[in-house]
Amino acid sequence: MNKKLLIIPLIIIFAVLIILILPKPVTQTGFQSEVVADNLDIPGAMDFLPNNTMIFTQRGGNVSLLMDNGVKNIGNINVTANGESGLLGIAVDPQFSQNRYVYLFYTSNNGNRVSRFVLNDQLQNETVLIDRIPSGSIHNGGRIKFGPDGKLYITTGDANNRTSAQDLNSLSGKILRINKDGTVPSDNPFNNFVYTYGNRDPQGLAWNPSNGILYESEHGDIQNDEINILIRGGNYGWPTDQGNETAQGIQTPLYVYTDMTLAPSGIAFYNNKLYVAGLRGSQLREISLSNNGTSIIGQNALFTQLGRIRDAVVHDGYIYICTSNRDGRGIPQIGDDKIIRIKVN
């Protein structure tokens, strides 16, 4: 065979690879955006200290601050990073100025764990609040956020054990709700940590500040990704029911994606809209809500050029998102992974 004929396909493949990995502009009509951190290792969750400094996790174990002059590492957690496991969620205590507490969700060698740390110059003095949450290479959940009631809410996946989601004695496939000291709140529905159950792999939590509605994003099985409104003690169906399937005693999703796989991750509420990070969907999904927040009136796919998006948070009038292209399922662009700040015009 002519050597020139062999070279042509190689040139084409090389050109395609270059196109895929070149960084894409972080632009979107109607928004102002800028990259505020890059060359990160799978950032998973973001929160803010009272002085407006971002604190965030990276799956391999690093906890970092986003400073004016770059990223500062303030701790390295000994994690088991296998597939979707590792260092996942982070939450800053609402009374951080008084107690200096930061909370992490991570995978240890005994399963998933939620711990409290004291942040001075570095994270110190770990106190384990919940241990031995079932873990696996998939379906770990891992989002933790403080609600307006001052309780810590925790998403846990089924860790690839489907039936555990319906078992009220299991910590997997649930939304958990705990006091800051790791005890069970007296008004939890089942006298344990469980707040909702029948959740396959819940990834995002956000509250509507006007009426307290709690929204949740959840991965479905073969599409059927869900946006849910969570209610105390609610059963969200998995594994017997999912998506648009209905059954007595099962909560109906606010929305189900039946014609695409969004793989929704972190979510943020801003100006009566939900902003949902899409992993496989490679987008920031903008969901417009009705005035009372109980129905959806429109949706848009934003920032579709960035690849996989892992988290979305709102702070001080900005939306922050982080990419997740180095997690083994994306195509890393030059400079990945990134944190991007977005201003809504």
Side-chain angles (χ1 to χ4, degrees):
M1 182 180 291
N2 192 316
K3 290 184 177 180
K4 290 184 178 179
L5 294 179
L6 289 172
I7 292 172
I8 291 172
L10 292 175
I11 293 173
I12 293 173
I13 292 171
F14 181 74
V16 170
L17 289 173
I18 290 296
I19 291 170
L20 289 174
I21 67 174
L22 283 175
K24 310 302 188 296
V26 291
T27 56
Q28 175 69 52
T29 302
F31 299 83
Q32 298 169 310
S33 55
E34 62 175 324
V35 175
V36 293
D38 57 11
N39 295 303
L40 302 174
D41 184 19
I42 321 174
M46 303 172 284
D47 204 352
F48 286 84
L49 302 176
N51 66 359
N52 296 319
T53 298
M54 177 188 286
I55 184 170
F56 65 95
T57 63
Q58 298 177 76
R59 185 173 295 175
N62 283 337
V63 183
S64 305
L65 300 179
L66 180 58
M67 313 294 287
D68 291 338
N69 59 350
V71 172
K72 175 185 177 183
N73 186 48
I74 56 166
N76 186 271
I77 309 303
N78 184 18
V79 304
T80 300
N82 175 26
E84 296 175 2
S85 67
L87 177 55
L88 302 175
I90 190 167
V92 175
D93 195 291
Q95 281 77 48
F96 177 85
S97 297
Q98 288 77 46
N99 58 34
R100 311 290 297 182
Y101 289 160
V102 172
Y103 303 76
L104 297 177
F105 182 115
Y106 70 93
T107 311
S108 73
N109 57 7
N110 291 319
N112 288 320
R113 170 184 293 170
V114 177
S115 286
R116 185 184 70 208
F117 294 80
V118 176
L119 174 59
N120 290 307
D121 291 333
Q122 296 282 308
L123 288 178
Q124 310 171 319
N125 302 333
E126 178 177 10
T127 299
V128 177
L129 302 182
I130 304 181
D131 208 1
R132 299 183 183 274
I133 300 170
S135 64
S137 61
I138 60 173
H139 301 181
N140 290 284
R143 193 73 55 195
I144 59 176
K145 289 200 173 182
F146 276 98
D149 57 3
K151 308 301 182 183
L152 186 62
Y153 291 72
I154 303 158
T155 75
T156 68
D158 68 8
N160 206 27
N161 178 4
R162 297 157 64 102
T163 59
S164 68
Q166 289 293 319
D167 180 0
L168 291 175
N169 293 313
S170 170
L171 295 174
S172 59
K174 311 289 190 302
I175 308 299
L176 309 179
R177 178 176 179 261
I178 71 172
N179 293 318
K180 291 195 299 183
D181 61 0
T183 57
V184 175
S186 60
D187 56 346
N188 270 12
F190 307 108
N191 298 314
N192 59 13
F193 291 130
V194 176
Y195 187 72
T196 72
Y197 64 108
N199 304 101
R200 181 175 181 266
D201 190 17
Q203 292 280 318
L205 297 170
W207 283 262
N208 185 329
S210 65
N211 54 24
I213 289 176
L214 173 53
Y215 302 95
E216 175 249 22
S217 61
E218 184 167 327
H219 289 195
D221 182 25
I222 310 175
Q223 300 180 340
N224 286 308
D225 298 321
E226 299 177 358
I227 305 296
N228 289 303
I229 291 177
L230 298 184
I231 63 169
R232 177 183 178 275
N235 183 354
Y236 290 81
W238 180 254
T240 56
D241 300 276
Q242 67 165 328
N244 286 316
E245 298 171 346
T246 58
Q248 186 174 2
I250 303 300
Q251 301 302 315
T252 301
L254 178 63
Y255 192 86
V256 181
Y257 294 92
T258 58
D259 57 351
M260 64 173 286
T261 300
L262 179 61
S265 191
I267 60 176
F269 182 96
Y270 186 66
N271 284 347
N272 213 41
K273 295 179 180 179
L274 292 175
Y275 289 90
V276 183
L279 289 164
R280 188 169 175 183
S282 298
Q283 62 186 265
L284 180 65
R285 193 78 175 178
E286 180 187 61
I287 301 176
S288 298
L289 299 169
S290 60
N291 288 336
N292 64 7
T294 60
S295 62
I296 291 173
I297 59 177
Q299 300 192 41
N300 292 301
L302 308 175
F303 295 95
T304 57
Q305 74 277 31
L306 300 178
R308 295 166 63 80
I309 300 177
R310 175 69 59 181
D311 196 15
V313 299
V314 167
H315 180 74
D316 198 24
Y318 290 89
I319 302 167
Y320 292 80
I321 61 175
C322 59
T323 65
S324 191
N325 291 320
R326 296 179 63 185
D327 64 3
R329 297 179 180 178
I331 301 175
Q333 301 173 19
I334 295 173
D336 272 333
D337 278 317
K338 307 178 182 77
I339 295 175
I340 297 158
R341 181 171 60 197
I342 302 165
K343 181 70 173 179
V344 181
N345 292 334

